[in-house]
Amino acid sequence: MPFNEIERCWDAWYEAYTAGRMVARLGPGEFFTYLLNTETGEQEVINGTPKVAHREVVGTYINRNTQKKRSSMPSGWSTTVIIPELARAAYLTVLTTSIHDIVNISAQLEAFKAVNGGRIAGIPLVLRRRPRKISTPKTGRDAGENV
């Protein structure tokens, strides 16, 4: 990790994109910090102003088959890491959309910080994913189906 402050290494945002363009960013709260009107291209929220409450669908777009699709808010968190093998000070961003990754990485960073007197910068860590069985309760229309 390049910094001792976890929030500088580990961003927690929900973001929505269409055609490679960010159209919405929801911070660790109930309000958008950035929101673009996908119909007009106008920025509706900039730096959290005005206050617009979270909603799942943030706009629409036309796909390759000229079908109108909804842009939804997927989860997405990123972490900034330095890879020593690159032999230079370059930050790389690793993305994940799994809430389980988020919980595990957050807990590990807090634990390392606690046992190292508030320091996590420069501690060599190995970042890897391993398959895990998780609980996936059925809700809504899936509740009556056999899987």
Side-chain angles (χ1 to χ4, degrees):
M1 298 288 132
F3 310 105
N4 286 319
E5 300 84 12
I6 292 174
E7 60 277 358
R8 288 182 67 195
C9 301
W10 187 229
D11 288 332
W13 300 100
Y14 285 95
E15 294 178 339
Y17 291 84
T18 60
R21 167 180 73 167
M22 184 173 63
V23 295
R25 176 181 261 186
L26 183 70
E30 295 293 320
F31 298 97
F32 287 99
T33 58
Y34 177 81
L35 184 61
L36 181 74
N37 182 316
T38 58
E39 302 281 329
T40 66
E42 178 185 333
Q43 294 178 346
E44 294 180 3
V45 177
I46 302 170
N47 295 325
T49 304
K51 292 256 186 236
V52 174
H54 171 257
R55 61 183 185 255
E56 184 64 27
V57 175
V58 293
T60 59
Y61 67 97
I62 305 297
N63 72 4
R64 288 182 212 184
N65 300 327
T66 65
Q67 297 171 320
K68 195 171 192 176
K69 297 288 187 178
R70 299 182 317 169
S71 297
S72 299
M73 292 297 297
S75 58
W77 290 265
S78 64
T79 185
T80 303
V81 297
I82 297 173
I83 300 180
E85 287 78 9
L86 294 177
R88 60 189 171 114
Y91 301 138
L92 298 176
T93 301
V94 179
L95 301 173
T96 183
T97 57
S98 168
I99 189 65
H100 302 287
D101 289 345
I102 307 317
V103 170
N104 290 333
I105 292 171
S106 296
Q108 291 297 316
L109 290 175
E110 289 291 345
F112 277 114
K113 191 169 184 173
V115 298
N116 287 300
R119 183 164 187 256
I120 58 172
I123 297 173
L125 302 172
V126 175
L127 180 63
R128 71 177 132 198
R129 293 187 74 198
R130 292 185 182 160
R132 282 181 74 181
K133 291 187 178 185
I134 59 170
S135 173
T136 54
K138 296 179 184 177
T139 59
R141 69 174 182 82
D142 295 331
E145 297 175 8
N146 291 326
V147 180

